[in-house]
Amino acid sequence: MSAAGVDGRLVVGHYSAGRVTSFSLDDGIPREPTTITLEGSGPDISRQDHAYPHQVLDHDGLAVITDLGSDCLWWLHPTDLAVVRRQALAPGCGPRHAAALPGGRVAVSGELDATLVVVPASGHPVSYASSTRQPDGRIYPSDVLAHPAGLVVVANRNVGTLGLVDVTGPLPRLVDERDCGGTWPLHLALDGDTVAVAQRDDDVVVLIDIEPAARTLGPPGAVPVARPTWLIPR
């Protein structure tokens, strides 16, 4: 389950059920739910037998839903959940998380095909490999975040790296990749130029600096934390 505040409402994605619900808020208390069921599936029958809304993102007053099951993004009106836009991605992409970029664009992690996808405000999405590593088994990108210098950071599970992607040009470009102190990075948070990485399975939060001018990532430093899963910058 994921949720976000969008234009004064609470929009919730129900991952396993394939549904999205919007609530009005009365002094912070959710009321008057409106629910829709997303339709679609993908080629990976073990993960994409139906819609799986993985994340809700507030994007210019609309709720953007990353649908891992149907390989698409949904733009929904937060009040009645009317579909404003449905953008198909590559079959088997498995969109997991998203981050807003300037110009109405959205960066998306492709969990099932190990890509970083940039979806423009109009036109066709473009993608780039989220990692250059060659592991035993698959790479599973998880979280993404945007840096104001035209960079996107993507966490790569099973190889334990952060990829730094330049999104200032017509095509996304992986410009650096750094080990991030564990094999299964889950969540990212940005504080200035420092990325915090939740390494739940390794009981640490890892801190890595972005060097915006050099387009590089610095060495990691670890802070012991029991089972960190979600990070909120102060």
Side-chain angles (χ1 to χ4, degrees):
M1 179 178 291
S2 64
V6 183
D7 197 27
R9 297 181 67 88
L10 178 66
V11 181
V12 179
H14 308 274
Y15 179 76
S16 297
R19 295 194 299 264
V20 178
T21 299
S22 175
F23 298 90
S24 62
L25 294 174
D26 182 2
D27 290 331
I29 300 173
R31 302 188 187 279
E32 299 176 341
T34 298
T35 298
I36 64 169
T37 299
L38 302 180
E39 301 292 338
S41 60
D44 187 336
I45 59 174
S46 67
R47 300 288 307 278
Q48 297 184 304
D49 55 321
H50 61 77
Y52 286 93
H54 206 295
Q55 185 193 21
V56 181
L57 174 71
D58 179 5
H59 189 237
D60 295 334
L62 296 175
V64 173
I65 312 297
T66 57
D67 183 352
L68 188 146
S70 71
D71 291 321
C72 75
L73 299 187
W74 303 82
W75 278 256
L76 306 178
H77 193 281
T79 302
D80 59 3
L81 299 179
V83 177
V84 178
R85 177 184 177 188
R86 181 183 184 275
Q87 177 63 60
L89 304 181
C93 169
R96 177 184 173 95
H97 281 185
L101 300 176
R105 299 176 300 160
V106 178
V108 182
S109 58
E111 177 174 335
L112 301 183
D113 69 355
T115 58
L116 187 285
V117 185
V118 176
V119 180
S122 61
H124 299 292
V126 291
S127 64
Y128 199 94
S130 66
S131 173
T132 60
R133 305 293 173 90
Q134 300 294 323
D136 293 331
R138 297 169 66 173
I139 298 172
Y140 296 96
S142 56
D143 203 13
V144 291
L145 60 77
H147 184 279
L151 297 165
V152 169
V153 180
V154 56
N156 293 302
R157 293 170 297 167
N158 201 38
V159 288
T161 69
L162 295 189
L164 187 66
V165 181
D166 189 316
V167 294
T168 58
L171 297 175
R173 184 169 57 95
L174 185 69
V175 292
D176 198 12
E177 187 172 7
R178 172 78 64 170
D179 291 338
C180 62
T183 59
W184 210 254
L186 276 179
H187 185 242
L188 306 175
L190 186 66
D191 184 6
D193 290 331
T194 300
V195 181
V197 186
Q199 293 279 12
R200 182 195 62 192
D201 295 348
D202 294 276
D203 293 323
V204 294
V205 172
V206 177
L207 304 177
I208 297 177
D209 289 334
I210 299 174
E211 301 293 341
R215 320 304 258 185
T216 58
L217 295 165
V223 178
V225 177
R227 304 287 288 175
T229 302
W230 195 265
L231 305 169
I232 301 175
R234 292 187 300 172

